[in-house]
Amino acid sequence: MNNVTEQFAGINKAGYDNAVRFASFSLEKAAHLAKFNFQAAKAAMEQGVQSAGIVGGITDAKEFAAVNTKLSEAGVQQALGYTRGLYEIASQGQAEFTTLADDAWAGYSDHVSAWVETAAKNAPAGSEVAVKALKSTVAATNAAYEQFSKATRQIASLADATVRAAIANAAKAAPATKGSKAS
């Protein structure tokens, strides 16, 4: 019976270790996002200061129109760059989180299955129905997780393709807008 208790303690320790891994991962990604946003804010401020200097030197309406178009295009490109960078951070984080979750689930599932097998071997006579129900529950839980994981990956893949296409279309539309304004 001591082996069952040790296995259960192992399951708890694995859960604790996974919680620490998830917390560390979350903090790492939050720091990366904060650094990215700080750099984007710094670049936006620098661009704003530069734009204000340019606008301050304008002397006529024709020059204002040309500068306005140029600054608008630069703003669109900056926004697209920010969106791409932000999406890459989110996409990378999602992929890493999925890997962490899958690894954690596989370890948990293996520990629980081993625990159930050990408990079944040490179960008193007449408890076969309860053991069979426990094994069935573990198998059903694993199957449900696999279905959930598969559906999540499909949704993430669809979302990835959609966002990438939207960013690509926006990038194509920006030069088209430039050409129509210049006409």
Side-chain angles (χ1 to χ4, degrees):
M1 194 63 144
N2 193 21
N3 194 16
V4 173
T5 304
E6 289 171 5
Q7 285 179 324
F8 192 70
I11 293 169
N12 288 335
K13 177 157 179 9
Y16 169 79
D17 291 344
N18 285 329
V20 169
R21 284 178 47 206
F22 281 114
S24 296
F25 168 78
S26 297
L27 289 173
E28 176 186 317
K29 292 303 161 193
H32 188 206
L33 183 60
K35 181 179 178 184
F36 176 77
N37 280 327
F38 179 76
Q39 290 171 342
K42 183 178 175 186
M45 186 186 86
E46 290 169 356
Q47 181 66 35
V49 168
Q50 183 182 13
S51 297
I54 292 170
V55 170
I58 294 176
T59 57
D60 64 21
K62 186 176 180 182
E63 185 180 1
F64 178 76
V67 167
N68 186 35
T69 300
K70 185 177 177 182
L71 293 177
S72 294
E73 291 168 5
V76 167
Q77 292 303 319
Q78 193 172 18
L80 281 171
Y82 177 78
T83 302
R84 280 187 196 110
L86 190 61
Y87 180 72
E88 288 303 318
I89 290 170
S91 180
Q92 180 186 27
Q94 183 272 330
E96 291 174 19
F97 179 80
T98 298
T99 300
L100 275 173
D102 287 346
D103 290 349
W105 181 259
Y108 174 78
S109 179
D110 290 346
H111 281 96
V112 168
S113 294
W115 177 78
V116 168
E117 287 302 320
T118 302
K121 289 176 187 173
N122 295 323
S127 61
E128 292 82 14
V129 173
V131 169
K132 199 174 244 184
L134 186 57
K135 286 181 179 182
S136 177
T137 300
V138 169
T141 302
N142 286 334
Y145 178 80
E146 289 302 319
Q147 285 300 107
F148 174 75
S149 182
K150 182 179 176 182
T152 301
R153 280 196 234 24
Q154 287 173 342
I155 290 169
S157 178
L158 178 62
D160 180 63
T162 302
V163 170
R164 289 186 188 279
I167 290 172
N169 286 338
K172 288 177 188 174
T177 302
K178 174 182 170 183
S180 67
K181 284 185 179 181
S183 301

